[in-house]
Amino acid sequence: MRILLKLLLFAGLFLSVFSCKKGANWDVDAAFPLATSHLNISNFFGDTIFKADPTGLLHIAFSKDIINFTMDSLVKLPDTTVILGFTSPFVSQLNPGVVLFSNNLSTDREITFNVTNGVELNRAIVRKGFLKVEYSNSYAQPLNFNYTINSANLWGVVLNINQTIGGGSVSSPATLTKLYALDEYAINLTGLSNTKVNTLVQSYTISTDPSGSADQLQVGQGLNVKLSFVHIVPQYVQGYFGQQDLSFGPDSSLIGLLENFRPSNFALTQSAINFRIINEFGIELSSSINSLRSIKTAPPNTISLNAGNLLQAININRAGKTNNGSNPVFPWVKQIDVNSSNSNLNAFLGNLPNYLGYSVTAKLNPLGNVSAGNDFAYYGHGLKVIADIDIPFAVSANYFNLINYAKVNLTGIRQLNNVNNCNIILQARNNYPFSVQIQGYMLNDQNQTVDSLFDWNNNKIASALTDNVNTVLNFTDTKLVASITKVKIEHLMQCRQIKFVTYLYLPNQPTPIKIKDSSYLDLVISADVNYNVKTKQ
């Protein structure tokens, strides 16, 4: 596409130079360079996952997250609502500043959160969340609500709310809704006795406001308060997290390994996956990776990983604390090396999967509450399973087939009608141990093939010179000529996209080839064009 545009620019230059000659009509031959390129392996495969080892051998190397299980999945603090208040059972004459009700001396001062999965928390720090309070005053004078969460403090100061609600009536109470931020509050969840779990302590006093007037409190009048702990996201939780059974999958994760790469009789000589299990929770687990599947969608094929007992009954120790607020966790890490010697990994990765299927189970605290209520978790930290995949590029295949598409639309370029013919000349210096053949198929708006760009018998770049084990001895030079005829130009004007199919043919099969980071393919592209120049009378 860029080459054609350069040709048209060149033709346009000629038109502008000679337009002063009235009624002229002649053919112009011109030769000029179009482009040069120094290609490496990533240009062929369209990927940046290649890395060289100390010997210069290229590896396909990348990491893929299989599991990322965070604190919000492990421990959930549910939205919790409680109703407080005071309603008078008899008629009273009240002055301003009089206490109507207080639970400060009561033992009924606790709120218990219904935390699921047997989790027993004794401490939490709130990352974000709110205390939503809805007030309803049916007394004629303003009432004051003084509320304290005795278990919650921020830098040593307990959470306290002192709110005045205007006067109302039973038929038309005064209402007010307020949100109070709980961000960064540390909450003790051991209750009044300091031995409970999931339980905070609160106290409140309801009194007539000093700014009000003396008045009569009727039967059924008073203050109703609805308190809701909403959208609580912990920064830190501590306690006993129970013996939960966790299950991940069966599911699959997109891997997209060389998606446009289609080999024939492809085989790996070596491969490895280093599974990193990273535990940032202060809990112990036992886990098994029950199945891993290499899933290829086109053509459909699935291969299960067979690694014996390597991925079974994995004991995972708890993380430690660093006492560093910006990096609070010292993770426990276990690495399991699965390779082509202890598994069928070559076939598993040689399937070139689009997806990695998995099924993983785990059990928290398999030995019970061995931490005596000191399990912990921090926001943004969790349990991770990462697969570090490494494939040395020493492979065998008959050929590699690469397919990609380029959008084009030449319908509005009228100057193409004035091109008589054009030869695109490609001079290649190949230092790879494979030959290269390329074809471009012109597709119309119905996705039908209307023509091809190149002559299939004259579009092959010769392989570098190799020995009998496919080690490159020297580069080779090849010159290719592609003729763009008048008919092809007409077909190009119907074209909406070009399907490029590239074949990389490997020599001396089944002997593997080794691709080094020093390998290259240099291209110099030039054009010979014949263009009909016409000027107006």
Side-chain angles (χ1 to χ4, degrees):
M1 180 66 183
R2 291 179 180 175
I3 292 172
L4 288 171
L5 289 176
K6 286 191 176 185
L7 290 173
L8 294 174
L9 287 172
F10 180 80
L13 176 63
F14 266 77
L15 281 173
S16 63
V17 170
F18 294 105
S19 60
C20 60
K21 298 185 177 183
K22 304 299 183 180
N25 182 351
W26 70 97
D27 292 339
V28 175
D29 289 316
F32 51 91
L34 294 175
T36 61
S37 184
H38 181 81
L39 304 179
N40 57 34
I41 196 69
S42 64
N43 298 113
F44 286 103
F45 294 101
D47 222 316
T48 57
I49 59 176
F50 294 95
K51 298 179 182 178
D53 66 18
T55 70
L57 179 66
L58 287 175
H59 291 234
I60 299 172
F62 63 99
S63 296
K64 183 66 181 178
D65 287 355
I66 298 177
I67 292 172
N68 189 359
F69 185 68
T70 53
M71 181 181 70
D72 59 332
S73 300
L74 179 70
V75 177
K76 293 182 173 67
L77 291 181
D79 288 357
T80 300
T81 298
V82 294
I83 304 297
L84 305 176
F86 170 77
T87 301
S88 178
F90 45 79
V91 177
S92 302
Q93 184 67 33
L94 300 179
N95 292 320
V98 175
V99 174
L100 295 181
F101 178 83
S102 177
N103 77 338
N104 287 340
L105 301 179
S106 171
T107 57
D108 184 20
R109 296 166 52 202
E110 296 179 334
I111 298 175
T112 299
F113 292 90
N114 183 23
V115 186
T116 58
N117 297 322
V119 175
E120 300 175 352
L121 299 179
N122 53 52
R123 186 166 181 262
I125 298 175
V126 179
R127 179 178 178 84
K128 60 181 180 180
F130 296 93
L131 175 62
K132 179 182 179 181
V133 186
E134 299 170 75
Y135 304 93
S136 177
N137 180 14
S138 56
Y139 176 50
Q141 299 299 319
L143 294 176
N144 182 265
F145 181 72
N146 188 283
Y147 180 74
T148 300
I149 300 181
N150 309 81
S151 302
N153 75 84
L154 179 63
W155 309 114
V157 179
V158 297
L159 189 151
N160 178 258
I161 296 170
N162 193 12
Q163 182 68 53
T164 299
I165 305 93
S169 65
V170 172
S171 61
S172 181
T175 59
L176 178 67
T177 299
K178 300 277 284 187
L179 284 175
Y180 305 94
L182 299 177
D183 301 9
E184 299 186 18
Y185 272 90
I187 302 176
N188 183 319
L189 292 167
T190 59
L192 286 167
S193 65
N194 290 321
T195 59
K196 294 184 178 181
V197 294
N198 304 330
T199 303
L200 60 76
V201 178
Q202 47 89 41
S203 58
Y204 65 97
T205 298
I206 299 173
S207 58
T208 56
D209 190 72
S211 65
S213 302
D215 208 336
Q216 194 173 68
L217 178 67
Q218 303 295 328
V219 174
Q221 289 185 332
L223 180 66
N224 291 318
V225 181
K226 179 180 178 182
L227 294 100
S228 302
F229 295 86
V230 295
H231 309 310
I232 303 297
V233 178
Q235 176 66 32
Y236 171 82
V237 288
Q238 177 183 294
Y240 173 51
F241 295 169
Q243 291 185 296
Q244 300 182 46
D245 291 313
L246 306 179
S247 201
F248 309 94
D251 203 348
S252 61
S253 178
L254 179 66
I255 187 170
L257 180 57
L258 302 178
E259 289 188 10
N260 68 338
F261 176 56
R262 301 179 183 181
S264 171
N265 294 327
F266 182 68
L268 302 177
T269 60
Q270 191 178 354
S271 59
I273 298 181
N274 179 43
F275 289 96
R276 285 184 290 142
I277 302 173
I278 304 172
N279 183 21
E280 298 172 327
F281 291 137
I283 53 175
E284 295 171 346
L285 303 95
S286 61
S287 179
S288 291
I289 301 177
N290 299 316
S291 71
L292 282 174
R293 292 169 295 123
S294 167
I295 303 171
K296 188 175 183 65
T297 55
N301 191 41
T302 299
I303 296 176
S304 294
L305 181 65
N306 182 4
N309 294 322
L310 278 174
L311 302 176
Q312 303 298 310
I314 305 166
N315 293 321
I316 302 171
N317 292 335
R318 65 180 54 238
K321 295 180 180 178
T322 64
N323 297 318
N324 179 349
S326 61
N327 186 26
V329 175
F330 184 78
W332 181 89
V333 179
K334 184 178 182 65
Q335 302 191 56
I336 302 173
D337 182 37
V338 177
N339 54 56
S340 48
S341 298
N342 58 24
S343 70
N344 64 332
L345 191 60
N346 281 351
F348 183 88
L349 293 176
N351 190 40
L352 299 177
N354 306 100
Y355 295 90
L356 188 64
Y358 60 87
S359 175
V360 180
T361 55
K363 189 175 188 65
L364 270 62
N365 292 315
L367 301 179
N369 190 9
V370 296
S371 72
N374 285 295
D375 296 349
F376 68 84
Y378 284 90
Y379 179 87
H381 298 268
L383 176 67
K384 302 175 185 176
V385 179
I386 302 172
D388 299 320
I389 300 171
D390 180 77
I391 306 172
F393 212 103
V395 301
S396 64
N398 293 339
Y399 60 83
F400 303 149
N401 180 0
L402 308 174
I403 297 177
N404 50 52
Y405 294 84
K407 299 282 187 183
V408 295
N409 189 352
L410 304 177
T411 55
I413 305 178
R414 289 175 296 174
Q415 290 91 338
L416 280 175
N417 294 319
N418 297 330
V419 176
N420 298 320
N421 56 72
C422 173
N423 288 332
I424 305 297
I425 302 165
L426 185 149
Q427 299 180 76
R429 174 162 290 181
N430 189 9
N431 195 45
Y432 281 105
F434 50 72
S435 58
V436 181
Q437 194 168 23
I438 186 170
Q439 184 57 279
Y441 296 98
M442 306 177 203
L443 306 180
N444 62 17
D445 55 3
Q446 302 298 315
N447 214 33
Q448 299 168 331
T449 300
V450 296
D451 205 339
S452 58
L453 290 177
F454 306 111
D455 178 2
W456 188 254
N457 297 316
N458 188 32
N459 66 337
K460 191 171 185 179
I461 299 172
S463 168
L465 298 176
T466 64
D467 60 18
N468 60 355
V469 292
N470 294 332
T471 301
V472 172
L473 302 176
N474 201 5
F475 61 79
T476 59
D477 291 329
T478 302
K479 179 179 179 181
L480 302 180
V481 178
S483 296
I484 309 297
T485 64
K486 196 76 172 176
V487 173
K488 285 189 185 293
I489 292 172
E490 292 174 358
H491 289 159
L492 273 171
M493 295 179 70
Q494 304 172 27
C495 183
R496 292 297 179 271
Q497 64 177 339
I498 298 177
K499 175 184 177 181
F500 287 102
V501 181
T502 305
Y503 289 87
L504 310 179
Y505 294 100
L506 281 62
N508 301 329
Q509 292 306 302
T511 304
I513 65 166
K514 296 182 178 180
I515 303 297
K516 299 290 189 76
D517 64 342
S518 58
S519 299
Y520 62 89
L521 176 63
D522 285 340
L523 300 176
V524 177
I525 305 173
S526 59
D528 291 337
V529 63
N530 181 268
Y531 189 89
N532 183 255
V533 178
K534 297 178 182 179
T535 59
K536 295 180 180 180
Q537 295 289 340

